[in-house]
Structures are given as structure tokens and as C-alpha cells.
Amino acid sequence: MDNRPDIGLVGPARRDILDRKLYNYKGVQMVDLVHASRGCRFNCYPCAVSYLGGRDFRPRPVDKAVAEMAGIDNNRMFIVDNSLAQDSQWEKDLFREMIPLKKKWCSHPIEDKPEILDLAAQAGAWYVYQAVFDTSDYIRERVKRYHDHGIGVEGTILLGLDSHSEEYILELIDFLLDIELDLAEFTVLTPFPHTKAYKELEQQGRILTHDWNEYSADKVVYQPKQMSPDRLQALQDLAWNRFYEDEPQEMKMFKLFRQVLGKEMEDGSFKPRNRALANQAFGKDLL
Ligand code: SF4
């Protein structure tokens, strides 16, 4: 793992062996997964990516990544890179080359600069995953900037950091509703091996089990600082329930789906095959 091959050698995935009939939801084709880079130059507290993918950003040559995307028989993709927000020039080159493809895609974070957001929107950015780690104006404004560019945001929210009290978690949920996140996903801090979190909690004797089957990110496997493990577990359930109380997850997802259909109708990339499937799933009135 320390001797990684040249990223330029990575070729396109063998999608011809995929039975697409198995990958649709209520008749709607699922997104195709594709990656344009590997590794991450950051080393965030709970994250094992720097161990698994390497602590250096290894972008694929833009022409190779875009050629793979162009060859995908699906208008919608998930760019699964850990974080695209690592090299502004490469990011701009990638998005610029993607514009003619008229694909629509979701991804992990992209850089929060006007020029990059603008190019991302032109390149078909549909929605991004964004970690929401506090209730600051920085986060509020960042989410607003995505929205101003027509890009949706699914917040990924990690509960149970040492700074998190019960009051803080409740305040955070209200904040997420206030900034109108399109979707939110709540996990509890999980000290995966080779992370800073694991090292620290292990040293402090706060890890409650080393049964990796329990490390599913929705079970509390360590002693939180400001509450009992049971209380944190209950707060995670409460977070899901409260965030989706007024508008269920299915409805929020449906809104995002309608958003991508709108973009496709606008730029003419909507495929008749998809139209039939969408009508079948959501009724002819939709279109
Ligand atoms: S959380 Fe994201 S930015 Fe941080 S190390 Fe992991 S992949 Fe990189």
C-alpha cells in the first residue's frame, strides 16, 4: 500500500459486465460510480482515507477521467473521489472538460470558490456531500453559495466529538434545518483503526469494543466525553427523526430528483429512456 502505482495507469471500469436491470430504483436508473482521483492530502481526525488511499492527492489525467465519463451509458454519475477540493487548477480543468458531456453528478466536497462553483455548475454538479461540523457562519455561507449556484447539499454530520454536549447536538439539528440542507446523514464518531480518533481514544482507554462488526458508524463503540454511550445513541436517532419530521427523507430526495430532471430538460440532455422511467415512477404530471 505504500508503493502505489502511477495513477495514469488507471483505466476505465468494466461497465460492460454490469447488468443494469439490477441497478434501478422504482424504474429509475441508479447513478454510475466513477472516480477522477485517489488519495487525500488532509488527515482529518476521524478519517481513514489517508491510510487507505494515501496522504497525497493523486489526480487522474483529466483527459482519461473525462473519456471514461463520456463512455458511461448513463446521464447521471456519482464522482466517488474522497474530496475534489484539493487542487484548484486540476479541478477547474476537469470541470471545464466535463461541460460538453452534459452529465449530472453528485460528489464529495468541491472547492468553495466562485470560479470553481461556477464551472462545477456548468459541468452538471447536482448535489455535493458536505461535512457540517459546527453552526458557524462559515458553514451557513458555504451552503448558501452551493445553493446560489443551483447545487444541492447533503450534509454529513458526525455526532459525539468531545466538544459535543447534548445541548449542542440539539442546537446543531435546528441549525441544519435553518440553513435548509437538502438532505442530512447522521453518524456517530467511530474510531476506525489507523485514524487519529482511534489513536487518541485508545490511549485514553475509551474504546469499549474492538469487535469490528460493531464499527458501522451508527453504533457507539467508545465512551463519549460529555454523555453516556446510550445517550449519544439515542441522540443519533433523535437527529434523524427531527431532521426529517416535517418533510420525510423520500420527499427531500424526490425534490433533488426533480431538480436534476429540470437541469436535464433545460440543457436537452434528458434521455427519452429516462423520461419513460421517470413517468412510470412519479406520474406523467411531473414532466
Ligand atoms: S475527511 Fe475528507 S478531507 Fe478529511 S482526510 Fe478524509 S477524505 Fe480527506
Side-chain angles (χ1 to χ4, degrees):
M1 287 174 70
D2 290 335
N3 187 16
R4 297 183 169 90
D6 175 6
I7 190 78
L9 296 174
V10 174
R14 284 281 315 277
R15 292 188 179 78
D16 57 302
I17 58 175
L18 193 64
D19 182 354
R20 291 190 173 274
K21 288 194 296 297
L22 300 175
Y23 298 96
N24 67 68
Y25 176 71
K26 295 186 180 174
V28 178
Q29 175 73 57
M30 306 286 274
V31 291
D32 263 63
L33 309 186
V34 62
H35 75 290
S37 69
R38 292 181 182 173
C40 179
R41 66 188 170 90
F42 305 110
N43 186 23
C44 301
Y45 179 72
C47 183
V49 162
S50 67
Y51 173 73
L52 294 170
R55 196 177 171 184
D56 54 336
F57 179 56
R58 294 176 296 131
R60 291 175 72 186
V62 166
D63 58 339
K64 284 202 163 192
V66 172
E68 175 165 0
M69 293 174 187
I72 296 176
D73 181 24
N74 186 350
N75 204 27
R76 301 185 195 129
M77 312 181 296
F78 186 163
I79 304 176
V80 297
D81 303 38
N82 301 300
S83 168
L84 287 167
Q86 309 209 36
D87 177 335
S88 303
Q89 192 54 53
W90 175 83
E91 213 177 347
K92 283 192 274 188
D93 292 346
L94 178 71
F95 294 156
R96 214 174 268 121
E97 294 300 314
M98 285 172 64
I99 293 172
L101 303 182
K102 293 190 178 177
K103 301 273 186 190
K104 304 294 170 283
W105 46 274
C106 25
S107 72
H108 293 118
I110 53 183
E111 263 184 303
D112 181 27
K113 293 178 182 162
E115 189 190 1
I116 292 182
L117 287 176
D118 192 42
L119 281 169
Q122 290 183 59
W126 172 17
Y127 69 94
V128 296
Y129 287 76
Q130 172 65 51
V132 178
F133 37 81
D134 60 32
T135 59
S136 64
D137 284 346
Y138 169 78
I139 293 286
R140 183 185 292 275
E141 280 153 23
R142 187 169 178 130
V143 170
K144 182 173 182 313
R145 273 194 291 277
Y146 280 129
H147 282 160
D148 287 348
H149 283 82
I151 302 171
V153 185
E154 170 156 3
T156 51
I157 296 104
L158 188 63
L159 303 175
L161 297 169
D162 280 359
S163 58
H164 288 179
S165 63
E166 177 163 350
E167 295 70 37
Y168 178 81
I169 290 176
L170 296 175
E171 191 187 315
L172 182 61
I173 302 165
D174 287 342
F175 175 76
L176 303 176
L177 290 164
D178 192 40
I179 60 175
E180 299 181 347
L181 280 185
D182 299 274
L183 289 170
E185 180 184 295
F186 299 91
T187 53
V188 286
L189 175 64
T190 304
F192 292 109
H194 304 285
T195 61
K196 287 194 220 172
Y198 182 87
K199 200 170 162 200
E200 191 177 298
L201 294 171
E202 180 75 337
Q203 271 170 2
Q204 295 171 359
R206 291 168 58 193
I207 293 193
L208 303 174
T209 175
H210 290 87
D211 176 357
W212 308 132
N213 292 318
E214 299 294 303
Y215 282 56
S216 50
D218 61 351
K219 292 183 190 142
V220 182
V221 295
Y222 73 104
Q223 175 60 54
K225 190 165 186 184
Q226 304 208 37
M227 65 194 82
S228 69
D230 284 349
R231 189 59 198 146
L232 178 56
Q233 195 73 65
L235 282 171
Q236 191 209 11
D237 290 343
L238 186 143
W240 280 101
N241 293 337
R242 189 175 287 184
F243 184 81
Y244 290 107
E245 193 171 0
D246 290 340
E247 192 171 58
Q249 193 171 11
E250 290 73 17
M251 181 49 72
K252 288 185 186 289
M253 289 182 82
F254 174 74
K255 282 184 168 175
L256 276 175
F257 184 68
R258 201 163 50 186
Q259 187 181 329
V260 80
L261 285 176
K263 284 174 192 262
E264 289 169 350
M265 300 294 269
E266 206 176 295
D267 69 11
S269 62
F270 190 71
K271 291 186 180 175
R273 181 185 66 174
N274 291 355
R275 182 192 297 269
L277 292 172
N279 282 340
Q280 182 188 332
F282 297 108
K284 289 187 189 297
D285 286 344
L286 177 69
L287 303 174

